[in-house]
Each structure stands twice: as structure tokens, then as C-alpha cells.
Amino acid sequence: MTARAADRARYDRATAHLDAPLAIVDLDAFDANADDLVRRAGGKPIRVASKSVRCRALLERVLARDGFAGIMSFTLAESLWLARSGFEDVLLAYPSADRAAYAELAGDPKLAAAVTVMVDDVAQLDLIDASRGGGREVVRVCLELDTSLKLLGGRVRVGARRSPLHSPAEVADVARAVVRRPGFEVVGIMAYEGHVAGVGDAVAGRPLRSRAIRLMQAAARRELAERRAEVVRAVRAVVPALEFVNGGGTGSVQHTAAEDAVTEIAAGSGLYVPRLFDNYTSFRGRPAALFAQPVVRRPGVGVVTVLGGGYPASGVAGPDRSPVPYLPEGLRYDPQEGAGEVQTPLLGSPADDLLIGDKVWFRHAKAGELCERFDALHLVEGDAVTATVPTYRGEGHTFL
């Protein structure tokens, strides 16, 4: 029996009393992935990206482990909810225009102490000030650096379009604007190198593309390491007591951790290891989060149909954004139908061994987005479900 077949047998035994659709997290794999992230971080703390987990119980579990400290959140409303729930260090990774949430933040000492907001434009400070509603608490601010690699005098850009602040002088100018403004405090810098951390460099069947990606990423790492150090020096000249410099992501943990200027690493997807994180030379994780759909039809030889399953991931639309049939091994989509909203035909010889009501196990393309489809995660240890915990959705929250 292969390792994957053994996992399927375990998951089927563990959930035999449960009807699909359902989602699980294999805690043995989750914990092993957490240990690997800590090993790669080389002693620097890992801030957990909540959008890649979206389950309070699992955020609490990983933050209880050595090597993890703090949360990187994705909306201001989520940040305040997490802070009210007892999380004491929440860094909002994206600028917000949530005026009501800013008023709540500025009016509550506990929330203001726990939550740091993201800024890359003085206009965002104007919005926050206009939203205070009488709240006088000092708002903690993190400045975001654009990590994109610019070539040919800026005519070619590689990387996500995030912050407009690219040079050390630009970041320092905004730092000075914050320092001069009452009611704000600069406490950190963030720089997420998504073109390195979030792009696999070992694309199956594409050796030339894979080599090109590796060459691009090596150049991007060198350029960013030098520029990030210069940015930190420039900002520390304005804010000597800077608390943290955050960088990285699951795919670049060990590279970013090697930079002296970086004090902490961000990671989250590496805990669940969705399918988009299969194509990396720098690490190998264990798939920890899966969902199961029930077989509801047997249309013919070599074909079964499962209920639903059309859960595409965000990003540029394409086959890599669909969930992948994982267990039993050897199933594939019908190219004429793909993953359907209500039904999904699956092809392959393993279909002939599946009966009505059997489970087919899938991996989502991204990590936390799976939790937008399910109210609960069944936590599997060995061949038993040892707990069932709510996702954000199960607690009544869909922040985006």
C-alpha cells in the first residue's frame, strides 16, 4: 500500500460516521509542516498569515508552538475580532477603508495596543483621521515596501502590484509624515516578495519555464535583500525604535530569514500545503487540509460523479486554480466539464472501485480559501476525528 493509499484508508475510517461534503485537517501533517517552517526560519519568529488558516482553533494551536509569534490578518474587521478574542499581536497586511472599524480601533485602548494597520500613502492617514469619531488612541502603523523586481529602467516589472513605495527615500518620506502626525506611531515595515514566496519554481513538465523562474527568483532575492536593508536603515534614521521588519512567505522562508534586516517571517499556506505549493525545490510539505465529496452517480465504466466540488481559487483563472482529485490516486476531471458547481464527473480506472456514497478526497488550490466553503474542520489524528472546530464561516464571519 502506498503512503497516499494508507492516508486514504485512515481518512475514510476517521470519517466513516460523517457524511460528505466535509473538510478535514490532518493534525500530524499540520504539526510536521509547522516544525518544518520553524526549521527553515532559522530562529526568527514566524507570524502566521490568518487568511491561509481561517480557523481560530488552529491559529491558537500553531501559536502555542515554539517559533511562532503573532498573526498577519487580512481585513481590519477580522483584526479587531481576533484582538477581542484574545490575540495580542495582529498585523493587518493590507490597507483598509473600513471607517467604522477605524473608529472602533481608535476608541478602544486594548484594540489599539493589539492591532497594527498597513499604510503606504498619506491619503490613508487622512482616511483614518476622518474615521476616528472622537477616538483618541494612537494608531500603530506598519509601512509596506514594494518588493517587485524592476528591469530595463522600470519598463519590465516582476511582482505583485501592491505598495507604491519602492525606494528607501519613498518609504522614509512616508515614515516622516507619520511621525509628524499626532495620533500615529510607526512600529514596523513589511515587504512580501510574492514573486518568490508564492511562485513555484519546479513546474511539472516545464523544465525551461522552471529554470527561468529560478533565475528570476535568484535575481529578485539579491536585489530585494540589498534594497530592503537600505530601506530599514533609512526608516530607522526616522524611527530608531522600530519594532519589527516582516518579510517572506511559505515559499521563501529560509531565504528571507537569512537577511539580517528581517526580524520576523510571515507564513501560513505551509501549514495546510495546498496544491499550489507542490512545485517548489526549496521545501516539501505534507498535504494537511483536504475536503471530501460523495460519489452520487456511476455513469459508466471508468466514470463516477461526485456532488459539487467546483471551488476555484482566486488569481488568474486557469486549470491550476481548480481543486485536484487526490484520493484515490488516478482520478482526473472530464476536460469537457471540469469541477462543477453541483456535480463533478471524474474519470479513471479507480472510478470502477468506488460505490455510491464513497468519499473522494480533494486538495484545494489555495489554503484558507477552502474554509470559505465549510463551516467546520474535522481534526484527524491517526485514524480518528479527535475534534471538530468551526472555521471563520462557521463562526458567522466571511470577512472577504
Side-chain angles (χ1 to χ4, degrees):
M1 182 182 290
T2 66
R4 279 175 59 175
D7 282 342
R8 180 196 174 200
R10 284 198 302 116
Y11 301 151
D12 282 347
R13 286 195 298 271
T15 63
H17 62 296
L18 300 170
D19 289 331
L22 59 84
I24 66 166
V25 169
D26 183 334
L27 290 181
D28 293 335
F30 181 91
D31 290 344
N33 293 334
D35 288 341
D36 187 62
L37 288 169
V38 170
R39 176 189 62 79
R40 291 199 287 137
K44 292 187 176 178
I46 298 170
R47 186 179 291 274
V48 183
S50 64
K51 78 178 183 67
S52 300
V53 180
R54 301 193 204 198
C55 171
R56 277 201 303 165
L58 290 175
L59 289 172
E60 290 168 353
R61 182 184 183 92
V62 72
L63 286 170
R65 303 176 70 88
D66 290 340
F68 291 86
I71 288 177
M72 177 176 282
S73 58
F74 59 97
T75 76
L76 184 53
E78 177 212 14
S79 305
L80 301 185
W81 176 65
L82 290 172
R84 286 194 298 269
S85 300
F87 296 97
E88 297 180 348
D89 180 5
V90 182
L91 169 62
L92 175 59
Y94 308 88
S96 176
D98 188 338
R99 292 174 172 82
Y102 277 131
E104 187 175 355
L105 176 69
D108 188 313
K110 177 183 175 182
L111 296 180
V115 175
T116 302
V117 304
M118 193 63 60
V119 167
D120 57 35
D121 190 316
V122 173
Q124 294 156 354
L125 303 177
D126 295 337
L127 187 147
I128 296 170
D129 267 339
S131 304
R132 286 179 180 270
R136 297 179 179 273
E137 297 300 322
V138 172
V139 175
R140 291 166 55 85
V141 167
C142 178
L143 306 177
E144 181 169 3
L145 169 67
D146 170 35
T147 65
S148 64
L149 176 64
K150 294 185 177 182
L151 305 170
L152 301 177
R155 293 190 295 275
V156 176
R157 174 196 179 101
V158 181
R161 296 183 182 277
R162 293 176 61 111
S163 170
L165 307 178
H166 190 80
S167 71
E170 289 170 335
V171 183
D173 282 347
V174 175
R176 279 188 284 269
V178 177
V179 168
R180 289 194 298 263
R181 194 153 183 156
F184 294 91
E185 178 187 14
V186 176
V187 298
I189 299 171
M190 187 189 82
Y192 171 58
E193 51 267 46
H195 49 302
V196 179
V199 177
D201 62 350
V203 185
R206 304 287 297 276
L208 294 179
R209 177 176 174 79
S210 297
R211 176 160 177 75
I213 291 172
R214 287 194 289 273
L215 290 172
M216 175 276 291
Q217 290 180 339
R221 288 197 301 269
R222 288 192 298 270
E223 186 277 336
L224 179 59
E226 181 177 336
R227 181 159 51 90
R228 180 155 39 200
E230 292 174 356
V231 166
V232 172
R233 285 194 293 271
V235 173
R236 285 196 186 278
V238 180
V239 187
L242 200 66
E243 293 178 17
F244 64 86
V245 177
N246 180 282
T250 289
S252 69
V253 170
Q254 65 270 40
H255 301 299
T256 308
E259 295 182 33
D260 291 338
V262 174
T263 66
E264 63 175 41
I265 311 299
S269 294
L271 296 168
Y272 286 174
V273 186
R275 65 168 295 195
L276 283 177
F277 284 82
D278 286 346
N279 302 321
Y280 286 79
T281 57
S282 61
F283 79 102
R284 287 285 183 273
R286 291 174 54 185
L290 300 96
F291 68 93
Q293 303 295 108
V295 174
V296 292
R297 286 177 169 161
R298 292 172 50 89
V301 175
V303 186
V304 292
T305 302
V306 298
L307 183 70
Y311 306 155
S314 59
V316 179
D320 66 339
R321 301 291 149 163
S322 293
V324 61
Y326 184 61
L327 301 170
E329 297 180 68
L331 292 174
R332 64 186 186 278
Y333 290 121
D334 181 335
Q336 302 301 313
E337 297 195 46
E341 177 188 10
V342 179
Q343 70 164 32
T344 298
L346 297 171
L347 312 180
S349 58
D352 295 328
D353 297 322
L354 292 169
L355 305 176
I356 300 296
D358 283 352
K359 296 180 177 77
V360 174
W361 295 91
F362 293 78
R363 293 171 65 201
H364 202 280
K366 285 194 168 182
E369 291 184 22
L370 167 65
C371 295
E372 297 298 334
R373 299 287 183 167
F374 293 92
D375 290 342
L377 298 172
H378 302 284
L379 307 184
V380 173
E381 296 183 77
D383 60 358
V385 170
T386 56
T388 298
V389 296
T391 60
Y392 279 13
R393 168 177 157 163
E395 295 199 69
H397 296 289
T398 51
F399 293 108
L400 278 180

